[in-house]
Amino acid sequence: MFYICHYSSPMGLITLASQHNKLVGAWIEGQKYFGQIVNATKQEKSNLTIFNQTKKWLDDYFLEKKPSIKQLSLAPQGSAFRYMVWDILAQIPYGEVITYGYIAKQVALKCNKPHMSSQAVGGAVGHNPLSIIIPCHRVIGANGNLTGYAGGIDKKIWLLQHEQVDIQNFFIPKKGTAI
């Protein structure tokens, strides 16, 4: 059984999901890849401890207090490959960005492989079930391309600006499947 509740943020409604008192999802309204709870048995229950902690975390985030991801009990569900990518995402500091290519190189090193596909990394980043908390918005394409945010490019830009990232040299691609 999954439990869900909603959090009203400055950038729209965020749906939170938990299982076994751990946070398994945080999706921005309209986000692609809403996760496994779409078809699962779920119950609205907004007063769970994990939801109260997450709401406090999000309040602090939107007040620019830079809360630590370690404050929350997280249990995203995914493959070993996705966990590896999400772990790298979780280490990106506030106000900084990295590229899909950089993540691919880190994963290749961890897997003792000569290279890793940036597209495979992009799939794992895009399926991150804990938007904002695991900061997939801090990942950009080569040369400052602002592609690939399941919550929408407008939300990615909002989050980066909220974190005071200088985005003046970044750009939104004119075409592609990830915009």
Side-chain angles (χ1 to χ4, degrees):
M1 164 88 64
F2 290 94
Y3 295 101
I4 62 169
C5 79
H6 303 283
Y7 175 84
S8 184
S9 82
M11 58 186 293
L13 198 63
I14 298 174
T15 299
L16 304 176
S18 74
Q19 188 177 43
H20 308 298
N21 208 30
K22 293 183 184 284
L23 193 67
V24 298
W27 297 278
I28 301 166
E29 187 173 30
Q31 180 174 335
K32 295 179 194 176
Y33 316 123
F34 190 64
Q36 68 280 1
I37 71 157
V38 172
N39 297 316
T41 303
K42 55 191 173 285
Q43 179 182 351
E44 184 96 21
K45 200 168 193 176
S46 61
N47 233 4
L48 297 177
T49 301
I50 188 60
F51 289 153
N52 292 333
Q53 292 168 342
T54 304
K55 290 174 192 176
K56 171 71 170 116
W57 191 98
L58 289 166
D59 286 345
D60 287 349
Y61 175 82
F62 289 114
L63 290 172
E64 299 180 12
K65 293 184 179 180
K66 299 180 181 179
S68 170
I69 194 171
K70 294 176 183 175
Q71 293 174 259
L72 299 173
S73 182
L74 306 177
Q77 297 177 358
S79 66
F81 176 76
R82 286 184 178 175
Y83 281 121
M84 201 177 314
V85 171
W86 298 339
D87 183 55
I88 293 168
L89 297 178
Q91 297 173 45
I92 307 169
Y94 283 94
E96 294 185 25
V97 295
I98 62 174
T99 65
Y100 294 96
Y102 175 83
I103 296 171
K105 288 177 186 173
Q106 297 304 307
V107 171
L109 284 172
K110 288 182 180 191
C111 294
N112 200 25
K113 293 185 175 186
H115 58 81
M116 176 60 60
S117 162
S118 292
Q119 288 81 9
V121 165
V125 171
H127 283 83
N128 167 23
L130 293 164
S131 288
I132 302 172
I133 297 164
I134 295 179
C136 52
H137 59 278
R138 296 180 192 153
V139 181
I140 62 171
N143 303 318
N145 184 338
L146 288 173
T147 189
Y149 190 61
I153 298 298
D154 59 326
K155 302 282 194 304
K156 182 174 194 152
I157 291 169
W158 192 99
L159 290 165
L160 291 173
Q161 289 177 324
H162 175 72
E163 294 181 9
Q164 300 175 353
V165 173
D166 180 3
I167 65 166
Q168 69 181 3
N169 293 322
F170 298 164
F171 65 95
I172 298 171
K174 300 276 188 242
K175 63 179 181 174
T177 59
I179 48 179

